[in-house]
Amino acid sequence: EVQLVESGGGWVQPGGSLRLSCSASGFTFGTYAMSWVRRAPGKGPEWIANINGDGTSKYYKESVKARFTISRDNAKNTLYLQMNSLMPEDSAEYYCVTGSSLPDSLRGYWGQGTQVTCSS
């Protein structure tokens, strides 16, 4: 069974950092492009970043490009999102998903999400 399990979320003050992890199983992780998608209360899903299968190509939503870093360790079947300089508007449920775009991810696999809250 395909599983994606996010972890690492929590509460952080503005300007702080968090590192999200996503442990994958049940599929050939290294052959899949992966993305991070977030969803804030009352809003639709927002694509944040993607990474290709071997980790050599990455793209980011402009608002997070200077602050977030997506990476992966295929030997560990794990996807990461390093989040620095967090702002209140980053508060959302963060999901690890297969695919490189939101449309692809919507028909792909999702984790259960991990909550990120940034507030004073």
Tab-separated table of all heavy atoms in Angstrom, residues 56-101:
chain	number	residue	atom	x	y	z
A	56	THR	N	17.621	16.576	-8.972
A	56	THR	CA	18.464	17.525	-9.670
A	56	THR	C	17.729	18.759	-10.165
A	56	THR	O	18.366	19.702	-10.643
A	56	THR	CB	19.168	16.861	-10.861
A	56	THR	OG1	18.192	16.322	-11.761
A	56	THR	CG2	20.083	15.740	-10.384
A	57	SER	N	16.424	18.760	-10.083
A	57	SER	CA	15.636	19.893	-10.553
A	57	SER	C	14.585	20.227	-9.513
A	57	SER	O	13.856	19.347	-9.048
A	57	SER	CB	14.977	19.567	-11.891
A	57	SER	OG	14.229	20.664	-12.378
A	58	LYS	N	14.513	21.507	-9.165
A	58	LYS	CA	13.580	21.969	-8.147
A	58	LYS	C	12.910	23.256	-8.592
A	58	LYS	O	13.537	24.102	-9.222
A	58	LYS	CB	14.304	22.226	-6.817
A	58	LYS	CG	15.120	21.052	-6.312
A	58	LYS	CD	15.961	21.455	-5.111
A	58	LYS	CE	16.842	20.318	-4.645
A	58	LYS	NZ	17.669	20.713	-3.471
A	59	TYR	N	11.647	23.412	-8.224
A	59	TYR	CA	10.916	24.635	-8.515
A	59	TYR	C	10.105	25.019	-7.300
A	59	TYR	O	9.640	24.163	-6.550
A	59	TYR	CB	10.005	24.459	-9.731
A	59	TYR	CG	10.755	24.302	-11.025
A	59	TYR	CD1	11.067	23.043	-11.521
A	59	TYR	CD2	11.167	25.410	-11.751
A	59	TYR	CE1	11.764	22.887	-12.694
A	59	TYR	CE2	11.867	25.265	-12.929
A	59	TYR	CZ	12.169	24.001	-13.402
A	59	TYR	OH	12.865	23.861	-14.577
A	60	TYR	N	9.915	26.324	-7.137
A	60	TYR	CA	9.249	26.845	-5.967
A	60	TYR	C	8.215	27.895	-6.342
A	60	TYR	O	8.374	28.625	-7.326
A	60	TYR	CB	10.245	27.513	-5.016
A	60	TYR	CG	11.344	26.616	-4.522
A	60	TYR	CD1	12.531	26.480	-5.225
A	60	TYR	CD2	11.196	25.907	-3.332
A	60	TYR	CE1	13.549	25.663	-4.768
A	60	TYR	CE2	12.204	25.088	-2.868
A	60	TYR	CZ	13.375	24.968	-3.590
A	60	TYR	OH	14.379	24.155	-3.120
A	61	LYS	N	7.183	27.973	-5.527
A	61	LYS	CA	6.304	29.116	-5.591
A	61	LYS	C	7.133	30.352	-5.253
A	61	LYS	O	7.976	30.317	-4.346
A	61	LYS	CB	5.158	28.940	-4.592
A	61	LYS	CG	4.156	30.070	-4.559
A	61	LYS	CD	3.050	29.762	-3.560
A	61	LYS	CE	2.075	30.922	-3.450
A	61	LYS	NZ	1.333	31.109	-4.705
A	62	GLU	N	6.894	31.436	-5.962
A	62	GLU	CA	7.737	32.611	-5.823
A	62	GLU	C	7.811	33.112	-4.385
A	62	GLU	O	8.868	33.532	-3.921
A	62	GLU	CB	7.249	33.729	-6.748
A	62	GLU	CG	8.183	34.931	-6.819
A	62	GLU	CD	9.512	34.598	-7.450
A	62	GLU	OE1	9.572	33.666	-8.287
A	62	GLU	OE2	10.508	35.267	-7.113
A	63	SER	N	6.713	33.050	-3.673
A	63	SER	CA	6.673	33.602	-2.328
A	63	SER	C	7.512	32.828	-1.319
A	63	SER	O	7.794	33.338	-0.234
A	63	SER	CB	5.223	33.687	-1.834
A	63	SER	OG	4.638	32.407	-1.738
A	64	VAL	N	7.910	31.609	-1.655
A	64	VAL	CA	8.723	30.814	-0.733
A	64	VAL	C	10.115	30.534	-1.272
A	64	VAL	O	10.941	29.952	-0.558
A	64	VAL	CB	8.039	29.479	-0.374
A	64	VAL	CG1	6.609	29.709	0.083
A	64	VAL	CG2	8.082	28.497	-1.542
A	65	LYS	N	10.409	30.951	-2.483
A	65	LYS	CA	11.645	30.563	-3.159
A	65	LYS	C	12.900	30.902	-2.351
A	65	LYS	O	13.837	30.100	-2.286
A	65	LYS	CB	11.712	31.221	-4.537
A	65	LYS	CG	12.925	30.828	-5.355
A	65	LYS	CD	12.933	31.515	-6.710
A	65	LYS	CE	11.774	31.069	-7.570
A	65	LYS	NZ	11.822	31.679	-8.929
A	66	ALA	N	12.938	32.058	-1.754
A	66	ALA	CA	14.119	32.490	-1.020
A	66	ALA	C	14.200	31.902	0.374
A	66	ALA	O	15.225	32.064	1.048
A	66	ALA	CB	14.156	34.014	-0.940
A	67	ARG	N	13.162	31.218	0.810
A	67	ARG	CA	13.080	30.794	2.200
A	67	ARG	C	12.984	29.282	2.394
A	67	ARG	O	13.378	28.780	3.445
A	67	ARG	CB	11.861	31.452	2.862
A	67	ARG	CG	11.902	32.965	2.800
A	67	ARG	CD	10.703	33.583	3.499
A	67	ARG	NE	9.452	33.273	2.811
A	67	ARG	CZ	8.451	32.582	3.357
A	67	ARG	NH1	8.542	32.145	4.612
A	67	ARG	NH2	7.351	32.355	2.659
A	68	PHE	N	12.442	28.573	1.412
A	68	PHE	CA	12.225	27.131	1.542
A	68	PHE	C	13.173	26.372	0.627
A	68	PHE	O	13.537	26.848	-0.457
A	68	PHE	CB	10.793	26.757	1.155
A	68	PHE	CG	9.716	27.242	2.089
A	68	PHE	CD1	9.990	28.118	3.133
A	68	PHE	CD2	8.415	26.813	1.906
A	68	PHE	CE1	8.985	28.556	3.980
A	68	PHE	CE2	7.402	27.244	2.750
A	68	PHE	CZ	7.681	28.112	3.782
A	69	THR	N	13.531	25.169	1.042
A	69	THR	CA	14.348	24.287	0.225
A	69	THR	C	13.749	22.888	0.235
A	69	THR	O	13.582	22.291	1.298
A	69	THR	CB	15.795	24.221	0.723
A	69	THR	OG1	16.372	25.529	0.735
A	69	THR	CG2	16.634	23.318	-0.181
A	70	ILE	N	13.433	22.388	-0.947
A	70	ILE	CA	12.943	21.025	-1.070
A	70	ILE	C	14.123	20.109	-1.393
A	70	ILE	O	15.023	20.485	-2.146
A	70	ILE	CB	11.838	20.918	-2.144
A	70	ILE	CG1	11.175	19.538	-2.130
A	70	ILE	CG2	12.378	21.257	-3.529
A	70	ILE	CD1	9.933	19.456	-3.014
A	71	SER	N	14.133	18.933	-0.826
A	71	SER	CA	15.192	17.975	-1.089
A	71	SER	C	14.649	16.569	-0.878
A	71	SER	O	13.534	16.384	-0.384
A	71	SER	CB	16.414	18.232	-0.197
A	71	SER	OG	16.089	18.092	1.175
A	72	ARG	N	15.442	15.593	-1.254
A	72	ARG	CA	15.023	14.210	-1.064
A	72	ARG	C	16.227	13.317	-0.868
A	72	ARG	O	17.332	13.620	-1.337
A	72	ARG	CB	14.180	13.724	-2.255
A	72	ARG	CG	14.942	13.618	-3.568
A	72	ARG	CD	13.993	13.483	-4.751
A	72	ARG	NE	13.197	12.272	-4.670
A	72	ARG	CZ	12.067	12.065	-5.356
A	72	ARG	NH1	11.598	13.017	-6.162
A	72	ARG	NH2	11.410	10.924	-5.229
A	73	ASP	N	16.011	12.229	-0.175
A	73	ASP	CA	17.016	11.196	0.008
A	73	ASP	C	16.369	9.901	-0.461
A	73	ASP	O	15.605	9.271	0.275
A	73	ASP	CB	17.449	11.104	1.465
A	73	ASP	CG	18.596	10.133	1.686
A	73	ASP	OD1	18.815	9.250	0.832
A	73	ASP	OD2	19.279	10.255	2.716
A	74	ASN	N	16.654	9.534	-1.696
A	74	ASN	CA	15.990	8.370	-2.261
A	74	ASN	C	16.402	7.068	-1.581
A	74	ASN	O	15.627	6.111	-1.555
A	74	ASN	CB	16.258	8.288	-3.765
A	74	ASN	CG	15.491	9.340	-4.537
A	74	ASN	OD1	14.547	9.940	-4.030
A	74	ASN	ND2	15.896	9.572	-5.785
A	75	ALA	N	17.615	7.024	-1.047
A	75	ALA	CA	18.053	5.836	-0.324
A	75	ALA	C	17.218	5.611	0.931
A	75	ALA	O	17.086	4.485	1.402
A	75	ALA	CB	19.529	5.937	0.034
A	76	LYS	N	16.666	6.696	1.465
A	76	LYS	CA	15.821	6.616	2.652
A	76	LYS	C	14.344	6.782	2.338
A	76	LYS	O	13.521	6.797	3.254
A	76	LYS	CB	16.243	7.676	3.673
A	76	LYS	CG	17.650	7.493	4.207
A	76	LYS	CD	17.989	8.562	5.229
A	76	LYS	CE	19.373	8.357	5.798
A	76	LYS	NZ	19.718	9.395	6.804
A	77	ASN	N	14.012	6.906	1.059
A	77	ASN	CA	12.620	7.116	0.634
A	77	ASN	C	11.977	8.268	1.406
A	77	ASN	O	10.851	8.156	1.908
A	77	ASN	CB	11.795	5.841	0.816
A	77	ASN	CG	12.068	4.799	-0.251
A	77	ASN	OD1	12.881	4.997	-1.149
A	77	ASN	ND2	11.389	3.667	-0.160
A	78	THR	N	12.696	9.363	1.479
A	78	THR	CA	12.243	10.490	2.280
A	78	THR	C	12.341	11.794	1.502
A	78	THR	O	13.336	12.047	0.820
A	78	THR	CB	13.046	10.599	3.580
A	78	THR	OG1	12.942	9.368	4.306
A	78	THR	CG2	12.510	11.724	4.445
A	79	LEU	N	11.315	12.599	1.621
A	79	LEU	CA	11.244	13.930	1.049
A	79	LEU	C	11.309	14.940	2.187
A	79	LEU	O	10.744	14.701	3.259
A	79	LEU	CB	9.937	14.095	0.273
A	79	LEU	CG	9.661	15.447	-0.385
A	79	LEU	CD1	10.563	15.633	-1.597
A	79	LEU	CD2	8.191	15.549	-0.769
A	80	TYR	N	11.962	16.068	1.949
A	80	TYR	CA	12.128	17.084	2.975
A	80	TYR	C	11.693	18.452	2.466
A	80	TYR	O	11.707	18.734	1.269
A	80	TYR	CB	13.589	17.200	3.407
A	80	TYR	CG	14.193	15.921	3.923
A	80	TYR	CD1	14.982	15.125	3.097
A	80	TYR	CD2	13.981	15.516	5.236
A	80	TYR	CE1	15.554	13.955	3.567
A	80	TYR	CE2	14.545	14.344	5.708
A	80	TYR	CZ	15.328	13.570	4.874
A	80	TYR	OH	15.887	12.408	5.343
A	81	LEU	N	11.330	19.298	3.407
A	81	LEU	CA	11.117	20.705	3.123
A	81	LEU	C	11.707	21.504	4.279
A	81	LEU	O	11.168	21.490	5.386
A	81	LEU	CB	9.631	21.035	2.956
A	81	LEU	CG	9.327	22.476	2.549
A	81	LEU	CD1	9.833	22.754	1.139
A	81	LEU	CD2	7.833	22.769	2.649
A	82	GLN	N	12.811	22.168	4.009
A	82	GLN	CA	13.407	23.063	4.984
A	82	GLN	C	12.746	24.421	4.842
A	82	GLN	O	12.760	25.008	3.760
A	82	GLN	CB	14.916	23.189	4.760
A	82	GLN	CG	15.616	24.140	5.717
A	82	GLN	CD	15.604	23.655	7.146
A	82	GLN	OE1	15.877	22.487	7.407
A	82	GLN	NE2	15.272	24.532	8.075
A	83	MET	N	12.185	24.912	5.919
A	83	MET	CA	11.416	26.144	5.910
A	83	MET	C	12.090	27.144	6.846
A	83	MET	O	12.122	26.938	8.058
A	83	MET	CB	9.981	25.892	6.356
A	83	MET	CG	9.310	24.739	5.610
A	83	MET	SD	7.772	24.185	6.400
A	83	MET	CE	6.744	25.614	6.135
A	84	ASN	N	12.625	28.200	6.278
A	84	ASN	CA	13.285	29.238	7.052
A	84	ASN	C	12.511	30.538	6.942
A	84	ASN	O	11.700	30.724	6.039
A	84	ASN	CB	14.719	29.447	6.554
A	84	ASN	CG	15.588	28.222	6.695
A	84	ASN	OD1	15.441	27.441	7.634
A	84	ASN	ND2	16.517	28.052	5.760
A	85	SER	N	12.795	31.450	7.854
A	85	SER	CA	12.165	32.771	7.857
A	85	SER	C	10.654	32.671	7.734
A	85	SER	O	10.021	33.365	6.936
A	85	SER	CB	12.748	33.629	6.725
A	85	SER	OG	14.143	33.783	6.867
A	86	LEU	N	10.076	31.822	8.543
A	86	LEU	CA	8.646	31.579	8.455
A	86	LEU	C	7.845	32.814	8.831
A	86	LEU	O	8.244	33.598	9.689
A	86	LEU	CB	8.262	30.403	9.344
A	86	LEU	CG	8.613	29.036	8.746
A	86	LEU	CD1	8.637	27.967	9.820
A	86	LEU	CD2	7.621	28.673	7.645
A	87	MET	N	6.713	32.953	8.174
A	87	MET	CA	5.817	34.075	8.378
A	87	MET	C	4.429	33.550	8.705
A	87	MET	O	4.095	32.417	8.364
A	87	MET	CB	5.765	34.943	7.113
A	87	MET	CG	7.113	35.484	6.685
A	87	MET	SD	7.025	36.558	5.225
A	87	MET	CE	6.525	35.375	3.975
A	88	PRO	N	3.601	34.357	9.350
A	88	PRO	CA	2.253	33.895	9.689
A	88	PRO	C	1.476	33.370	8.492
A	88	PRO	O	0.703	32.419	8.638
A	88	PRO	CB	1.601	35.143	10.291
A	88	PRO	CG	2.741	35.881	10.911
A	88	PRO	CD	3.891	35.675	9.967
A	89	GLU	N	1.681	33.949	7.326
A	89	GLU	CA	0.964	33.491	6.150
A	89	GLU	C	1.400	32.119	5.665
A	89	GLU	O	0.774	31.542	4.777
A	89	GLU	CB	1.074	34.513	5.004
A	89	GLU	CG	2.485	34.971	4.731
A	89	GLU	CD	2.817	36.287	5.419
A	89	GLU	OE1	2.593	36.399	6.645
A	89	GLU	OE2	3.299	37.211	4.729
A	90	ASP	N	2.478	31.582	6.239
A	90	ASP	CA	2.893	30.219	5.942
A	90	ASP	C	2.109	29.193	6.743
A	90	ASP	O	2.244	27.989	6.489
A	90	ASP	CB	4.384	30.031	6.219
A	90	ASP	CG	5.269	30.854	5.310
A	90	ASP	OD1	4.999	30.895	4.089
A	90	ASP	OD2	6.241	31.448	5.810
A	91	SER	N	1.330	29.626	7.697
A	91	SER	CA	0.562	28.708	8.524
A	91	SER	C	-0.436	27.940	7.670
A	91	SER	O	-1.241	28.533	6.950
A	91	SER	CB	-0.181	29.460	9.627
A	91	SER	OG	0.725	30.110	10.499
A	92	ALA	N	-0.357	26.632	7.729
A	92	ALA	CA	-1.212	25.777	6.911
A	92	ALA	C	-0.925	24.329	7.254
A	92	ALA	O	0.023	24.011	7.971
A	92	ALA	CB	-0.950	26.009	5.416
A	93	GLU	N	-1.753	23.456	6.729
A	93	GLU	CA	-1.459	22.035	6.750
A	93	GLU	C	-0.600	21.730	5.532
A	93	GLU	O	-0.976	22.079	4.402
A	93	GLU	CB	-2.752	21.217	6.714
A	93	GLU	CG	-2.561	19.739	6.998
A	93	GLU	CD	-2.548	19.428	8.485
A	93	GLU	OE1	-2.719	20.351	9.301
A	93	GLU	OE2	-2.356	18.253	8.843
A	94	TYR	N	0.541	21.100	5.752
A	94	TYR	CA	1.477	20.809	4.674
A	94	TYR	C	1.414	19.334	4.308
A	94	TYR	O	1.473	18.466	5.184
A	94	TYR	CB	2.898	21.185	5.084
A	94	TYR	CG	3.158	22.670	5.004
A	94	TYR	CD1	2.591	23.538	5.923
A	94	TYR	CD2	3.959	23.205	3.995
A	94	TYR	CE1	2.809	24.905	5.842
A	94	TYR	CE2	4.182	24.567	3.912
A	94	TYR	CZ	3.604	25.410	4.841
A	94	TYR	OH	3.834	26.763	4.753
A	95	TYR	N	1.320	19.083	3.012
A	95	TYR	CA	1.165	17.729	2.501
A	95	TYR	C	2.294	17.357	1.559
A	95	TYR	O	2.709	18.159	0.711
A	95	TYR	CB	-0.155	17.584	1.739
A	95	TYR	CG	-1.384	17.817	2.582
A	95	TYR	CD1	-1.929	19.086	2.701
A	95	TYR	CD2	-1.988	16.762	3.253
A	95	TYR	CE1	-3.056	19.305	3.472
A	95	TYR	CE2	-3.113	16.975	4.022
A	95	TYR	CZ	-3.644	18.244	4.126
A	95	TYR	OH	-4.763	18.466	4.892
A	96	CYS	N	2.765	16.157	1.701
A	96	CYS	CA	3.694	15.537	0.773
A	96	CYS	C	2.870	14.807	-0.278
A	96	CYS	O	1.990	14.016	0.063
A	96	CYS	CB	4.580	14.567	1.560
A	96	CYS	SG	5.562	13.421	0.610
A	97	VAL	N	3.131	15.080	-1.553
A	97	VAL	CA	2.320	14.505	-2.618
A	97	VAL	C	3.183	14.064	-3.780
A	97	VAL	O	4.251	14.625	-4.031
A	97	VAL	CB	1.252	15.504	-3.118
A	97	VAL	CG1	0.332	15.926	-1.981
A	97	VAL	CG2	1.906	16.737	-3.724
A	98	THR	N	2.717	13.067	-4.505
A	98	THR	CA	3.381	12.685	-5.742
A	98	THR	C	2.992	13.658	-6.842
A	98	THR	O	1.911	14.255	-6.820
A	98	THR	CB	3.008	11.263	-6.164
A	98	THR	OG1	1.588	11.158	-6.343
A	98	THR	CG2	3.455	10.245	-5.127
A	99	GLY	N	3.881	13.816	-7.812
A	99	GLY	CA	3.623	14.700	-8.935
A	99	GLY	C	4.381	15.997	-8.825
A	99	GLY	O	4.872	16.378	-7.764
A	100	SER	N	4.457	16.701	-9.933
A	100	SER	CA	5.209	17.941	-10.018
A	100	SER	C	4.331	19.177	-10.130
A	100	SER	O	4.849	20.299	-10.130
A	100	SER	CB	6.173	17.898	-11.212
A	100	SER	OG	5.473	17.698	-12.424
A	101	SER	N	3.045	19.005	-10.230
A	101	SER	CA	2.108	20.110	-10.330
A	101	SER	C	0.885	19.791	-9.494
A	101	SER	O	0.652	18.632	-9.130
A	101	SER	CB	1.708	20.366	-11.781
A	101	SER	OG	0.923	19.294	-12.280
